[in-house]
Amino acid sequence: HASEEIGHAELKADFLVHAFGLDRQRDIWNAKPIVPNAHNWVSAETDVVKKLKKLCPPLAYATIPFLERSLPRNNRLMAEGLRKHYGFPSRILGFYDLHTYVDIYHERLGLYVIGKYATTKELQDLLREAIISKRENQVRYNMGIYDYISKVK
């Protein structure tokens, strides 16, 4: 899963360059974050995730693909909306089209790892806490974006 994620930034950059005319170097790779103090919720490690990582690294990793279960639907809706309502051509929607199905595989991989390694009540409870902490990070991240954008208007 981690090695598959490498191309994600390029696919998203392709979309931004072709859809909005951004300059890849100036506006994407060398730009300041659009939302100040927004941290990547996927890679952020809470204390409980760090503890789980020490006890069972595969389970700490499995929190990421487990949280991708909503992404196929979200990306399908995004791609459909961008095509239908904004007229974006399919050739620049690769990121969204790819993620209408690839994250199904990621979720299943996470579930497999969980089934294989979450074999004690302690690990199951810690995994549950880790997933909740990551979801809370995701909510904080999204709220930060929402709050920032609502102030910019």
Side-chain angles (χ1 to χ4, degrees), residues 3 8-9 14 32 51 53 57 59 63 142:
S3 64
H8 284 45
D14 288 345
K32 293 180 184 174
K51 183 176 179 182
K53 195 174 189 178
L59 282 179
T63 61
N142 290 340

Side-chain angles (χ1 to χ4, degrees), residues 14-147:
D14 288 345
F15 170 72
L16 295 170
V17 167
H18 295 295
F20 301 109
L22 299 181
D23 180 89
R24 188 175 300 270
Q25 290 302 317
R26 182 191 68 233
D27 300 326
I28 300 170
W29 303 133
N30 296 324
K32 293 180 184 174
I34 294 172
V35 179
N37 302 318
H39 301 286
N40 184 340
W41 68 270
V42 173
S43 60
E45 287 194 356
T46 61
D47 289 340
V48 69
V49 173
K50 289 176 186 174
K51 183 176 179 182
L52 183 60
K53 195 174 189 178
K54 283 183 179 180
L55 287 174
C56 185
L59 282 179
Y61 155 80
T63 61
I64 297 169
F66 181 80
L67 290 171
E68 293 183 338
R69 62 186 328 154
S70 64
L71 298 181
R73 180 178 183 273
N74 295 350
N75 284 300
R76 181 181 47 78
L77 292 172
M78 180 67 79
E80 288 173 4
L82 290 170
R83 278 187 188 87
K84 181 178 177 183
H85 299 292
Y86 298 100
F88 284 100
S90 292
R91 66 180 169 72
I92 64 170
L93 296 176
F95 178 88
Y96 299 103
D97 288 337
L98 174 68
H99 288 84
T100 61
Y101 64 88
V102 77
D103 285 326
I104 294 168
Y105 162 76
H106 291 162
E107 177 198 4
R108 288 182 181 157
L109 177 61
L111 292 173
Y112 169 78
V113 171
I114 289 168
K116 184 173 181 175
Y117 291 97
T119 56
T120 67
K121 177 142 177 43
E122 177 191 17
L123 287 173
Q124 292 164 0
D125 290 345
L126 197 54
L127 173 66
R128 186 176 300 106
E129 288 179 48
I131 289 171
I132 290 169
S133 72
K134 280 213 174 256
R135 180 63 77 203
E136 289 169 350
N137 274 349
Q138 183 183 25
V139 169
R140 277 193 295 277
Y141 174 80
N142 290 340
M143 289 305 298
I145 291 172
Y146 177 81
D147 290 345

